[in-house]
Amino acid sequence: QLLQLVAHTSAYRVLLERWKTGDNQRFASAISYPDRLEEWVRKEFARLKRTQAKLLGVVSPAQKLVGRRAQKAKSSSVQAQLGSGSPGVSGTEGEGWTDPGNRAAGLTTGSGGSTG
C-alpha cells in the first residue's frame, strides 16, 4: 500500500512538471491511489505501538487486568497454603526488613532505612 502511494505521488509529480511546460494532454496519474491505504496505516500504527510498548515495558490496560487477576489468584493460593487469613510480614523496611530483591543481591536495610 505504501509503495503504491509513493508511486502514485511520483507519477503526479511528473504530470505536474508536464503541465508546467504546457503539456496538458494527461489529466490523471498513470498509477491509481491505493484503495485501502487508511486501513493499512491503522493496522501498521497499532502494530508499531504494540512493539513500542513491549520494548518500553509498558503494560496495556488489558494486560494489567489479566495481571491483577493472576496476582489475586496467586495471593489467594498463598493465603490458603499458610492457613491464615493473610500472610504476615514482621517488621517494615525501616525496621531491618530485608527486601527479597535486595536479599538476592546481598543487601539489607538497617534501622535508618538505608541499604548497605
Side-chain angles (χ1 to χ4, degrees):
Q1 294 292 326
L2 188 57
L3 185 58
Q4 186 174 353
L5 175 64
V6 171
H8 172 78
T9 304
S10 296
Y12 256 111
R13 286 183 179 163
V14 170
L15 192 58
L16 286 171
E17 288 300 316
R18 287 183 179 174
W19 291 348
K20 285 180 184 177
T21 62
D23 182 0
N24 297 327
Q25 293 178 356
R26 300 188 100 184
F27 295 101
S29 173
I31 300 171
S32 63
Y33 187 84
D35 294 336
R36 299 181 315 202
L37 180 65
E38 184 177 347
E39 175 187 340
W40 179 83
V41 168
R42 287 181 191 276
K43 285 181 181 178
E44 285 300 305
F45 183 76
R47 184 186 64 79
L48 287 172
K49 292 304 282 183
R50 284 191 306 272
T51 301
Q52 180 186 37
K54 183 178 177 182
L55 292 171
L56 292 173
V58 176
V59 179
S60 73
Q63 290 172 326
K64 283 182 185 178
L65 180 60
V66 170
R68 283 188 198 130
R69 288 180 182 162
Q71 184 64 30
K72 188 175 180 181
K74 183 178 178 182
S75 176
S76 296
S77 174
V78 168
Q79 289 175 5
Q81 288 176 1
L82 291 175
S84 65
S86 64
V89 175
S90 61
T92 63
E93 190 161 334
E95 298 172 348
W97 176 76
T98 303
D99 182 296
N102 288 341
R103 185 181 305 137
L107 301 173
T108 59
T109 58
S111 59
S114 62
T115 59

